[in-house]
Amino acid sequence: MGISCSPVSPTNNGFPEGDPFSVLAMIGISWAWINSLLHSCQGLRPTAYADNWGWSTTNPRHHSPAIDLTVSYCQLIGMSLDWAKCWLWSTQKLHGPFLRQAFARHVDSQQVQILMTQADLGFQQTYSGPPRIAKTKERFQQAAKLLLNLQNMPHDLQVQKQLGRLLKS
């Protein structure tokens, strides 16, 4: 590794944030969680991307054992769940009450929102209902305002282009 690594930083629990081994550790934790769900909850399709965990199922009764297992798994390995960052979604209204009931055993079910649309991992997702363009519409409005401001500046075109790039980021 030589000069490509930072100096050693002491730690007394786990890996420091950004350490390449923390990524490997999270992959291992996620892999074990997925396999636990696959073996314990037939008909469930779990997915994980880093610390974004979820599952899909056509049977609303699968949610409760999946949530129970996830909470138990996290407690077993000493990992905390941030309920404020959790949300529920469903393409079928039938699943909503089952999801609320399953979460109610672990946290106030009103703390976890059921969403129809959400920005996640850099893009807007619509889970049920017609596609929503709220974020896209807002971004176009911001861009139009920026262009109008640039147009009214007393600078030449090259300076306006540079300002536009700076203000965009």
Side-chain angles (χ1 to χ4, degrees):
M1 292 186 188
I3 61 171
S4 65
C5 286
S6 63
V8 174
S9 48
T11 181
N12 54 9
N13 61 357
F15 298 109
E17 180 105 10
D19 182 291
F21 292 112
S22 63
V23 174
L24 291 174
M26 198 62 212
I27 290 170
I29 289 168
S30 299
W31 177 83
W33 171 77
I34 285 174
N35 280 295
S36 296
L37 282 177
L38 288 172
H39 293 292
S40 301
C41 306
Q42 299 298 316
L44 199 73
R45 192 164 178 217
T47 60
Y49 176 78
D51 61 349
N52 292 325
W53 294 0
W55 59 80
S56 59
T57 182
T58 56
N59 186 338
R61 297 189 192 287
H62 290 161
H63 298 300
S64 189
I67 291 169
D68 292 345
L69 189 139
T70 300
V71 169
S72 296
Y73 179 77
C74 289
Q75 289 171 345
L76 177 71
I77 64 171
M79 200 166 91
S80 62
L81 285 166
D82 186 351
W83 296 108
K85 292 182 179 178
C86 295
W87 72 82
L88 311 172
W89 62 272
S90 175
T91 57
Q92 303 294 318
K93 286 185 179 182
L94 174 66
H95 287 250
F98 286 91
L99 285 164
R100 283 245 183 255
Q101 184 180 22
F103 268 86
R105 294 205 308 245
H106 303 286
V107 64
D108 175 12
S109 63
Q110 299 307 311
Q111 231 179 315
V112 180
Q113 300 176 1
I114 294 183
L115 300 178
M116 295 174 64
T117 184
Q118 174 69 16
D120 187 34
L121 300 174
F123 65 97
Q124 190 72 20
Q125 299 181 72
T126 299
Y127 303 119
S128 61
R132 288 165 182 78
I133 60 166
K135 293 282 184 188
T136 305
K137 184 177 178 183
E138 182 181 312
R139 287 171 60 193
F140 276 119
Q141 288 171 342
Q142 289 173 345
K145 185 178 175 183
L146 173 66
L147 290 173
L148 186 60
N149 289 341
L150 287 173
Q151 182 181 16
N152 294 325
M153 290 183 165
H155 304 293
D156 68 21
L157 184 59
Q158 291 299 347
V159 171
Q160 288 179 352
K161 282 182 183 179
Q162 289 175 332
L163 285 171
R165 287 187 192 110
L166 286 172
L167 295 173
K168 185 179 98 174
S169 53

